[in-house]
């Protein structure tokens, strides 16, 4: 059914009423954006968006991203009004309160109909690029019968002003993501005031220059909105629709000003808005006929969903598609067999190279893996032989050339993972994890299986010097909750860490990998890295010392141990490729590896900041010892740097002996 324009205005006013009342009840939140975009959103949901409220996770639904996440009441209103089970009216009543799924900003892990967590401006749109990429990849793989949907975004001035916007739209334009449609809430207002205070950019020109189509509409004229959205939908280019709106539209004394952006309207203005809009219902009540119009939209979606399901059931690719969308890995013995074979080998390689070698095992077995790099393919070793480039001419490709767009890449990984059906990974230098850090944080918060291949992980990269040498990065990434930070020590641990990363559906991973070669240290054991830490070498003499090390410093720890043992000092070496996984083990296991025994000296060795290592060494003889690098590195060959900064047997053994003797 199609709703006539005179039915749309009350529907939009329902959004306005719920938004202003919820913000008023919470005395906190952002009424301006939902009220300003209510008309555009109503046209989008009633005439264009493909969705089925009864099945929020329908694989072929259009994706809707509220990039301007501060306007969260817009999406909560839309989901409730169209008949999604969540949020309920009670949730909306309790907007921003403990226990309500209607959090301050939309959270994908609280409400099924929320595609991604937004609020950090710019990232919603950049994640939408990843969603649109996943859609094309799966379309190429499974066909239009099964995968054929758009990604719609509502973005504000802030989303377009953020630097990541440049990266995101450049990538989308180059990849010709024609199913990506961005509706710009062009209200010329941000928090501080008029946008002219801070920007004079010709945004349509910038988008056009990036390969986008641009249309414009009066964001409060239903017919004009419908015309512009129809033009956008018909375009085969990624498309921006500049929707000229009035922030806070409907609040007669406050609309159009920046005060309406982010604070409750106040009782008097809420009453004035009711009058102005002709809205006579009590707070959190929607007249039955208006609600019925909203609910009628779901029926259309249910029918489309049912037809789609018929096509899926009839397809010989249906089962594989469903497996991928469920995020389950295929049954394969090849990977396990290969790891057993590797254990018998004796491979001296950089862990970045080990990662590449392992990718050449994984990628053929897991067709859902989509790799890429931010212009460091040859350094990150991220491309498997079987992966063809993902290009506008070949969306079936599985390797993305992201260009020098670390933040955009990281957000795209999130978008792809959230879309589902693909397992994305992307590479850059570990030092540039700072460039994408907030997207890594959002991977963790959103519980996406995004995998970051971050190479050149310490001063061991050598000559590029301190601008390129991570010092604080590994430890600072460990501070992000729900993120696995892996620093494998050799070829075996690298493969194991990859396996754990792939099996972790709700946790993103960072693989911190070396530039320099490392010897194979392990010949036995099955997936020991999955426990986060394990005893790699047991003391032969009476145990007095336990050395805990990660990555390239495990080799050094093994050499230090040999020297200590030769002096009769029994020493364990614990390799700790993943602190978070070790912390998740039961206490018995943790105490077996690192006993709470004050007679044993615990020593950490890691070529990075020592802060944080006390957790594992302080319960120890004489307070333990932390060998690390609490300063910037320098430009020189790696061997000279390790010597200069004390990462040698000669420098470390006396320190340990000294600690043992005091
Ligand atoms: C990365 C980031 N920086 C700053 C903020 C804080 N912030 C939230 S909304 C906003 C203004 C955004 O302006 P606009 O997108 O035009 O939204 P409008 O005021 O029109 O609703 C700012 C600065 C944020 N959420 N994310
Ligand atoms: Mg604005």
């Amino acid at each position: 059914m199609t709703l006539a324009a005179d039915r749309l205005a009350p529907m939009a006013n329902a959004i306005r009423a719920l938004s202003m009342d919820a913000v008023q009840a919470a005395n906190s939140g952002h009424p301006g954006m939902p009220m300003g975009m209510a008309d555009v959103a109503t046209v989008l949901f009633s005439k264009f968006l493909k969705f089925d409220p009864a099945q929020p996770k329908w694989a072929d639904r259009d994706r809707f991203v509220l990039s301007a996440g501060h306007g969260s009441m817009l999406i909560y209103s839309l989901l409730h009004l169209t008949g999604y089970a969540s949020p309920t009216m009670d949730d909306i009543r309790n907007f921003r309160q403990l226990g309500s799924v209607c959090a301050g900003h939309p959270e994908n892990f609280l409400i099924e109909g929320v595609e991604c967590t937004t609020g950090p401006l710019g990232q919603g749109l950049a994640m939408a690029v990843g969603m649109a990429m996943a859609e094309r990849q799966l379309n190429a793989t499974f066909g239009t019968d099964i995968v054929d949907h758009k990604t719609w975004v509502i973005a504000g001035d802030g989303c377009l002003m953020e630097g990541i916007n440049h990266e995101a739209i450049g990538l989308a334009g180059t990849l010709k993501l024609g199913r990506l449609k961005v509706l710009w809430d062009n209200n010329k207002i941000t928090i501080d005031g008029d946008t002219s205070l801070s920007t004079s950019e010709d945004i349509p020109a910038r988008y056009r220059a990036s390969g986008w189509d641009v249309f414009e509409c009066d964001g409060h004229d239903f017919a004009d909105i419908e015309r512009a959205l129809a033009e956008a939908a018909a375009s085969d280019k990624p498309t921006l629709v500049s929707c000229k709106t009035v922030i806070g539209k409907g609040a007669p004394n406050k609309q159009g000003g920046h005060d309406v952006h982010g604070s409750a309207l106040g009782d008097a203005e809420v009453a004035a808005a009711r009058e102005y809009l002709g809205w006579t219902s009590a707070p959190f009540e929607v007249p039955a006929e208006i609600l019925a119009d909203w609910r009628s939209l779901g029926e259309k979606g249910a029918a489309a969903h049912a037809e789609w399901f018929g096509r899926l059931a009839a397809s010989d690719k249906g089962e594989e598609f469903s497996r991928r969308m469920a995020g389950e890995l295929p049954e394969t013995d090849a990977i396990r067999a290969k790891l057993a074979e590797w254990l018998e080998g004796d491979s001296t390689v950089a862990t970045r190279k080990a990662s590449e070698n392992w990718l050449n095992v994984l990628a053929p077995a897991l067709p859902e893996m989509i790799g890429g790099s931010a212009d460091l393919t040859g350094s990150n070793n991220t491309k498997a032989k079987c992966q063809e480039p993902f290009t506008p001419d070949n969306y079936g490709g599985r390797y993305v050339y992201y260009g020098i767009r670390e933040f955009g890449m990281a957000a795209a990984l999130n978008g792809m993972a959230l879309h589902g059906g693909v397992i994305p990974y992307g590479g850059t230098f570990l030092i540039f994890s700072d460039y994408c850090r907030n997207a890594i944080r959002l991977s963790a918060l959103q519980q996406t299986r995004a995998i970051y291949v971050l190479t050149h992980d310490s001063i061991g990269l050598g000559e590029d010097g301190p601008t390129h040498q991570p010092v604080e990065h590994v430890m600072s990434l460990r501070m992000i909750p729900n993120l696995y930070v892996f620093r494998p020590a050799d070829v075996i641990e690298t493969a194991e860490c990859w396996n754990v990363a792939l099996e972790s559906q709700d946790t993103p991973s960072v693989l911190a990998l070396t530039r320099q070669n490392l010897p194979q240290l392990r010949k036995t054991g099955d997936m020991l890295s999955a426990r986060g830490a394990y005893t790699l070498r047991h003391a032969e003499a009476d145990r007095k010392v336990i050395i805990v090390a990660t990555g390239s410093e495990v080799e050094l720890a093994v050499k230090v141990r040999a020297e200590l043992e030769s002096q009769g000092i029994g020493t364990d070496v614990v390799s700790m490729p993943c602190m978070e996984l070790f912390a998740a083990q039961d206490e018995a296991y943790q105490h077996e590896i690192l006993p709470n025994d004050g007679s044993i000296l615990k020593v950490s060795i890691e070529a990075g900041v020592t802060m944080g290592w006390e957790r594992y060494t302080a319960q120890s003889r004489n307070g333990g010892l932390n060998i690390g690098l609490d300063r910037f590195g320098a430009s020189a060959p790696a061997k000279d740097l390790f010597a200069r900064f004390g990462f040698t047997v000669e420098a470390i053994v006396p320190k340990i002996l000294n600690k043992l003797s005091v």
Side-chain angles (χ1 to χ4, degrees):
M1 66 172 285
T2 40
L3 286 159
D6 62 336
R7 307 277 287 278
L8 296 179
M11 289 169 76
N13 286 341
I15 296 174
R16 293 193 167 93
L18 286 178
S19 299
M20 70 180 182
D21 288 337
V23 173
Q24 189 63 30
N27 196 22
S28 136
H30 302 76
M33 189 271 163
M35 294 179 80
M37 280 300 272
D39 298 330
V40 173
T42 299
V43 174
L44 173 65
F45 272 65
S46 62
K47 314 245 174 190
F48 294 92
L49 196 75
K50 179 167 76 167
F51 65 102
D52 178 0
Q55 297 290 334
K57 293 295 172 199
W58 168 26
D60 199 32
R61 69 192 180 278
D62 282 353
R63 302 307 194 262
F64 171 66
V65 174
L66 185 70
S67 190
H70 57 281
S72 56
M73 267 314 303
L74 179 66
I75 190 164
Y76 300 149
S77 305
L78 288 163
L79 294 175
H80 178 76
L81 290 168
T82 50
Y84 285 77
S86 175
T88 63
M89 193 60 98
D90 264 353
D91 294 326
I92 292 179
R93 252 182 235 278
N94 290 311
F95 176 53
R96 291 188 157 228
Q97 309 307 306
L98 213 52
S100 171
V101 297
C102 294
H105 292 85
E107 312 286 8
N108 67 307
F109 48 90
L110 294 180
I111 299 182
E112 275 193 318
V114 170
E115 301 287 356
C116 58
T117 293
T118 51
L121 296 175
Q123 282 192 72
L125 199 163
M127 286 191 273
V129 172
M131 293 178 190
M133 290 165 66
E135 191 272 347
R136 283 296 83 191
Q137 214 285 334
L138 292 166
N139 171 276
T141 310
F142 292 97
T144 300
D145 272 359
I146 296 180
V147 183
D148 183 17
H149 55 267
K150 296 189 175 61
T151 302
W152 294 90
V153 181
I154 288 183
D157 301 301
C159 291
L160 271 52
M161 212 184 287
E162 288 287 351
I164 192 174
N165 188 255
H166 179 65
E167 300 183 23
I169 72 163
L171 188 60
T174 303
L175 294 174
K176 297 190 165 59
L177 301 175
R179 275 138 197 280
L180 177 62
K181 310 294 172 190
V182 177
L183 312 182
W184 166 27
D185 179 18
N186 182 3
N187 60 19
K188 297 208 176 312
I189 290 285
T190 66
I191 292 178
D192 278 355
D194 199 276
T195 49
S196 63
L197 288 169
S198 55
T199 180
S200 55
E201 178 178 294
D202 182 345
I203 289 172
R206 178 164 65 88
Y207 271 69
R208 285 199 186 95
S210 303
W212 287 53
D213 251 349
V214 181
F215 301 101
E216 193 180 285
C217 68
D218 173 345
H220 302 300
D221 175 334
F222 291 108
D224 201 39
I225 299 167
E226 185 170 352
R227 188 243 342 125
L229 265 54
E231 284 175 344
S235 168
D236 59 2
K237 292 182 182 174
T239 307
L240 180 74
V241 182
S242 165
C243 307
K244 300 208 160 161
T245 59
V246 176
I247 190 169
K249 172 85 176 170
N253 307 301
K254 293 198 169 180
Q255 62 188 14
H258 63 123
D259 290 344
V260 79
H261 161 94
S263 42
L265 297 181
D267 288 332
E269 184 68 0
V270 167
R274 278 196 148 65
E275 182 87 31
Y276 181 86
L277 297 169
W279 190 264
T280 52
S281 301
F284 309 110
E285 277 177 22
V286 179
E289 67 280 10
I290 299 178
L291 191 60
D293 279 349
W294 273 113
R295 294 283 151 96
S296 72
L297 304 176
E299 291 162 19
K300 201 170 58 180
H305 183 189
E307 281 171 32
W308 172 85
F309 192 76
R311 295 197 297 276
L312 180 75
S315 167
D316 55 4
K317 294 177 177 165
E319 213 169 292
E320 170 67 1
F321 179 75
S322 299
R323 176 191 75 74
R324 289 202 206 173
M325 288 306 295
E328 284 156 13
L329 300 179
E331 291 295 325
T332 163
D333 293 334
I335 294 172
R336 188 166 282 269
K338 200 71 187 173
L339 190 52
E341 190 186 313
W342 276 27
L343 274 167
E344 285 174 15
D346 189 15
S347 176
T348 294
V349 286
T351 50
R352 63 175 170 146
K353 183 68 185 168
S355 170
E356 179 186 344
N357 293 345
W358 196 238
L359 280 172
N360 279 322
V361 176
L362 296 174
L366 304 175
E368 58 267 53
M369 287 181 78
I370 311 293
S373 166
D375 202 46
L376 287 167
T377 294
S379 300
N380 300 146
N381 299 59
T382 31
K383 189 171 177 303
K385 283 196 198 89
C386 69
Q387 288 171 325
E388 290 175 10
F390 176 84
T391 65
D393 298 326
N394 183 18
Y395 286 130
R398 294 169 51 203
Y399 192 80
V400 183
Y401 291 104
Y402 285 99
I404 306 93
R405 300 186 179 101
E406 294 83 6
F407 195 10
M409 171 178 75
L413 298 185
N414 281 332
M416 282 190 267
L418 288 162
H419 179 282
V422 296
I423 303 178
Y425 68 90
T428 183
F429 288 149
L430 176 60
I431 196 85
F432 302 130
S433 61
D434 289 335
Y435 273 50
C436 39
R437 188 174 174 99
N438 202 264
I440 298 176
R441 184 175 190 277
L442 276 191
S443 308
L445 181 62
Q446 297 184 98
Q447 304 166 12
T448 67
R449 181 169 38 185
I451 303 175
Y452 297 89
V453 180
L454 303 179
T455 67
H456 297 59
D457 72 344
S458 76
I459 52 169
L461 68 86
E463 294 85 345
D464 272 342
T467 59
H468 281 54
Q469 291 162 353
V471 177
E472 74 279 25
H473 297 76
V474 170
M475 196 53 92
S476 80
L477 287 164
R478 288 179 182 135
M479 290 165 61
I480 299 178
N482 191 40
L483 174 68
Y484 291 148
V485 181
F486 294 104
R487 192 161 184 260
D490 72 350
V491 63
I492 299 301
E493 284 194 4
T494 305
E496 290 178 341
C497 292
W498 255 115
N499 290 1
V500 178
L502 288 165
E503 283 162 9
S504 303
Q505 276 210 45
D506 301 327
T507 303
S509 297
V510 163
L511 293 156
L513 305 175
T514 66
R515 174 183 183 234
Q516 73 276 22
N517 281 347
L518 300 176
Q520 179 168 337
L521 298 169
R522 277 258 307 284
K523 296 279 184 189
T524 56
D526 183 23
M527 287 297 293
L528 299 180
S529 302
R531 307 205 76 168
Y534 62 92
T535 305
L536 174 71
R537 298 281 189 272
H538 288 275
E540 280 162 26
D542 189 23
R543 183 171 69 180
K544 300 238 167 44
V545 176
I546 300 176
I547 305 176
V548 192
T550 75
S552 47
E553 286 67 69
V554 179
E555 176 193 8
L556 175 61
V558 168
K559 288 179 179 155
V560 169
R561 170 185 175 274
E563 177 56 32
L564 293 172
E565 290 278 351
S566 78
Q567 298 186 26
I569 300 168
T571 304
D572 277 0
V573 171
V574 171
S575 179
M576 189 179 278
C578 182
M579 266 192 190
E580 298 77 22
L581 282 169
F582 184 62
Q585 303 303 309
D586 58 39
E587 267 190 34
Y589 181 76
Q590 293 190 28
H591 287 158
E592 178 195 327
I593 305 300
L594 293 176
N596 244 343
D597 178 342
S599 71
I600 295 175
L601 173 63
K602 292 182 196 143
V603 181
S604 68
I605 311 181
E606 184 172 71
V609 293
T610 54
M611 183 191 273
W613 274 110
E614 316 82 20
R615 171 181 293 192
Y616 294 112
T617 57
Q619 290 277 10
S620 177
R621 183 159 170 175
N622 296 323
L625 182 62
N626 302 115
I627 311 279
L629 191 62
D630 291 304
R631 52 155 291 169
F632 293 121
S635 175
K639 173 171 68 51
D640 298 344
L641 292 172
F642 281 122
R644 162 71 181 78
F645 294 121
F647 292 94
T648 60
V649 175
E650 296 70 34
I652 293 172
V653 169
K655 283 187 184 161
I656 291 176
L657 295 178
N658 186 43
K659 265 280 174 191
L660 284 172
S661 66
V662 275

